[in-house]
Amino acid sequence: MNETIGTNTDVSMESATASQPTSVPASQSSQAGNASTGTQEPFDDECVTPSEPEGKAQGKHIGAVVYFSSISNNTARFIESCGFPEEGINVYRIPLRPKEAPLQVREPYILIVPTYGGGDISKALLPQIRKFLNGHKNRSFIRGVISSGNRNFATAFCAAGDIIAEKCHVPFMYNFELLGTADDQCQVRDGVRNFFLNAQSSQAEHR
């Protein structure tokens, strides 16, 4: 099933339900450059209790969003403006500080992350994001990625989305600049909701 969110993407889509995501060791490189989603071996999270969402879905639960935001909270404000819980979507935040309990997600989700590194693709993903994706169970539930970036990064604009899409074998669904616009918020909210509703419909048809 090919899914896109809006039209603000120049990345080819892959099936959201095709192959299972693979591990993301540091030795692999992305199409955008020699960047990796992992600097360590995937940690064992088989027996860890699932985390509670930061924002719990209201009404009929249809899916989840996982996001990372630095101390600037720019991405956090974007996520809040999207109003995902009102659409039946759980919201989880990847911990900022190493001493916080690691996030464990056990339901299908779309990952929303900023791009870091100031144009250096090798630094596009922060260690917190890599650690989350290197959890075997966490990685198995990712269904797509959305990334923000800064056009001043040139070819590294939204490189985080390129890297994650390639390593986890999921579609890069949408990109936006910095804080995004009101239109970006609508596109992402409606697109994520429709993605999960369409997935549910497709599953029902194949039963």
Side-chain angles (χ1 to χ4, degrees):
M1 175 175 57
N2 293 322
E3 297 286 347
T4 60
I5 295 181
T7 57
N8 187 24
T9 179
D10 55 5
V11 181
S12 62
M13 296 295 99
E14 296 182 44
S15 172
T17 57
S19 59
Q20 284 293 320
T22 60
S23 60
V24 284
S27 60
Q28 296 182 13
S29 61
S30 73
Q31 294 172 341
N34 292 324
S36 170
T37 56
T39 57
Q40 59 185 15
E41 290 299 316
F43 61 84
D44 184 4
D45 58 357
E46 296 294 324
C47 301
V48 179
T49 302
S51 303
E52 289 295 320
E54 174 186 71
K56 193 169 182 59
Q58 301 173 16
K60 183 181 179 182
H61 171 223
I62 61 172
V65 159
V66 174
Y67 77 97
F68 179 82
S69 188
S70 65
I71 56 174
S72 70
N73 274 326
N74 288 338
T75 306
R77 287 195 286 269
F78 179 86
I79 295 293
E80 183 178 5
S81 297
C82 289
F84 288 118
E86 290 83 358
E87 303 295 337
I89 298 166
N90 281 333
V91 176
Y92 299 86
R93 182 172 183 169
I94 297 173
L96 177 61
R97 296 171 179 81
K99 292 184 179 180
E100 295 181 72
L103 179 65
Q104 304 294 338
V105 179
R106 299 296 182 266
E107 60 173 310
Y109 66 87
I110 291 171
L111 182 62
I112 302 179
V113 295
T115 297
Y116 297 93
D120 184 344
I121 293 175
S122 68
K123 299 178 181 178
L125 294 178
L126 292 188
Q128 296 94 321
I129 301 171
R130 296 195 298 267
K131 179 179 179 181
F132 170 76
L133 288 173
N134 275 334
H136 296 285
K137 294 277 187 162
N138 287 338
R139 191 172 60 249
S140 71
F141 285 100
I142 187 172
R143 297 295 181 267
V145 60
I146 295 169
S147 180
S148 63
N150 188 326
R151 294 196 185 278
N152 289 336
F153 293 176
T155 57
F157 172 65
C158 293
D162 291 311
I163 295 167
I164 294 169
E166 180 184 4
K167 301 303 179 183
C168 296
H169 302 296
V170 294
F172 185 171
M173 302 169 74
Y174 192 85
N175 63 54
F176 59 94
E177 187 172 18
L178 301 174
L179 292 170
T181 65
D183 183 61
D184 289 323
Q185 294 165 12
C186 290
Q187 292 270 23
V188 171
R189 180 189 63 245
D190 295 346
V192 169
R193 180 193 62 225
N194 292 337
F195 178 91
F196 285 120
L197 289 176
N198 289 340
Q200 288 185 347
S201 296
S202 178
Q203 291 173 358
E205 290 176 358
H206 289 84
R207 288 175 183 170

